[in-house]
C-alpha cells in the first residue's frame, strides 16, 4: 500500500499502523483501544500549554502600542494554533480517510478524555490541595500542642526542682538554727559554770 501524505508530509507509518491490526496490542476490539486517544489528548494539552508560552513571547516581541492590540494578537495566535492542534486529526479522519465510524469513535473518545481531564483539574486538584492544606494545619496544631505540653512539663520540672531546693534550704536552715541554738545554750552553760 502506498504511504499516505498530506501537503507532502507522510502521515501513515506501517510500523505504527501494525499495532492497530486485529490481535495486536492496540486492536480496536481490545481494552487498550483508547490508549492512543488518551495519549493524543495528553499531547494536545501539552502542546497547547507550550504554545501558550510561545504565543505570549511572540506577541511581546511585536511591541504593540496598546493592551487591546496586544490581547487581540495573542488571542488570534492561540485560537488558530489550538483549533488546528485539536481538530486536525478529526478533519483528517473525516475528509481524507472518510471513515465515519472511526470519526465518531475518535470524537467521543476525545470528548470523554477532555471531560475527565477537566474534572481532574477543576475538581480533583482543588480537593487534593484542600486536603493537603487541612493535613498541614492538623500537623501544625499537633506540633503546637506537643510544644505546649513539653513546655508545661519543663515548667513543672523546674517548679518541682525549685520547690525541692527551697525545701532543702529550709531544712538546712532549721538544722543550722538548731545547731546555733545548741551551741549558744552550751556556751551559756559553760560560762555560768
Amino acid at each position: 500500500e502506498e504511504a499516505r501524505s498530506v501537503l507532502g508530509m507522510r502521515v501513515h507509518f506501517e510500523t505504527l499502523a501494525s499495532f492497530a491490526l486485529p490481535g495486536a496490542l492496540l486492536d480496536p476490539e481490545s481494552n487498550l483501544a483508547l490508549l492512543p486517544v488518551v495519549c493524543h489528548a495528553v499531547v494536545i494539552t501539552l502542546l497547547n500549554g507550550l504554545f501558550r508560552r510561545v504565543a505570549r513571547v511572540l506577541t511581546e516581541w511585536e511591541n504593540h502600542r496598546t493592551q487591546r492590540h496586544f490581547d487581540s494578537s495573542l488571542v488570534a495566535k492561540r485560537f488558530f494554533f489550538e483549533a488546528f492542534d485539536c481538530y486536525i486529526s478529526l478533519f483528517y479522519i473525516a475528509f481524507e480517510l472518510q471513515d465515519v465510524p472511526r470519526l465518531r469513535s475518535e470524537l467521543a473518545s476525545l470528548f470523554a478524555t477532555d471531560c475527565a481531564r477537566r474534572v481532574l483539574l477543576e475538581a480533583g486538584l482543588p480537593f487534593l490541595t484542600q486536603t493537603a492544606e487541612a493535613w498541614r494545619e492538623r500537623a501544625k496544631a499537633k506540633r503546637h500542642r506537643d510544644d505546649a505540653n513539653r513546655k508545661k512539663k519543663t515548667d513543672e520540672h523546674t517548679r518541682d526542682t525549685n520547690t525541692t531546693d527551697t525545701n532543702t534550704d529550709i531544712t538546712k536552715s532549721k538544722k543550722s538554727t538548731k545547731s546555733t541554738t545548741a551551741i549558744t545554750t552550751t556556751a551559756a552553760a559553760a560560762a555560768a559554770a
Side-chain angles (χ1 to χ4, degrees):
E1 179 184 328
E2 185 179 317
R4 290 194 174 112
S5 65
V6 174
L7 299 175
M9 293 180 60
R10 185 175 175 175
V11 293
H12 181 80
F13 297 94
E14 277 303 316
T15 307
L16 292 176
S18 67
F19 288 113
L21 294 175
L25 179 66
L26 302 175
D27 178 6
E29 302 302 319
S30 75
N31 293 333
L32 294 176
L34 292 179
L35 183 64
V37 177
V38 171
C39 291
H40 182 229
V42 169
V43 167
I44 286 172
T45 303
L46 294 175
L47 285 175
N48 286 346
L50 174 68
F51 189 73
R52 191 173 299 131
R53 290 189 294 272
V54 169
R56 177 163 289 284
V57 169
L58 291 174
T59 306
E60 287 172 358
W61 286 353
E62 291 173 358
N63 198 21
H64 291 280
R65 290 179 185 260
T66 64
Q67 185 66 37
R68 184 171 158 260
H69 288 120
F70 177 88
D71 292 341
S72 296
S73 179
L74 181 62
V75 167
K77 283 179 186 62
R78 286 189 55 194
F79 172 77
F80 287 117
F81 179 80
E82 290 181 19
F84 178 81
D85 187 31
C86 293
Y87 302 117
I88 190 65
S89 65
L90 299 175
F91 279 105
Y92 176 74
I93 293 170
F95 298 114
E96 178 67 24
L97 299 180
Q98 297 179 355
D99 188 351
V100 175
R102 185 170 172 191
L103 177 64
R104 185 180 302 122
S105 171
E106 182 82 11
L107 188 57
S109 301
L110 276 174
F111 180 73
T113 305
D114 192 52
C115 284
R117 178 190 63 85
R118 287 176 191 254
V119 166
L120 286 175
L121 288 177
E122 295 172 6
L125 190 61
F127 174 75
L128 290 175
T129 304
Q130 191 175 32
T131 303
E133 184 63 32
W135 182 81
R136 278 194 298 268
E137 288 297 322
R138 283 194 304 270
K140 185 178 176 182
K142 184 181 182 313
R143 277 194 313 272
H144 183 69
R145 277 194 315 272
D146 291 346
D147 290 345
N149 289 339
R150 207 173 300 117
K151 185 177 184 320
K152 184 178 176 183
K153 286 180 183 179
T154 303
D155 290 347
E156 287 174 0
H157 177 70
T158 303
R159 189 175 57 243
D160 290 345
T161 304
N162 288 342
T163 304
T164 304
D165 289 347
T166 304
N167 290 341
T168 304
D169 290 344
I170 291 171
T171 305
K172 284 180 183 177
S173 176
K174 286 181 180 178
K175 286 180 182 177
S176 175
T177 305
K178 286 180 182 178
S179 297
T180 305
T181 307
I183 292 173
T184 308
T185 307
T186 307

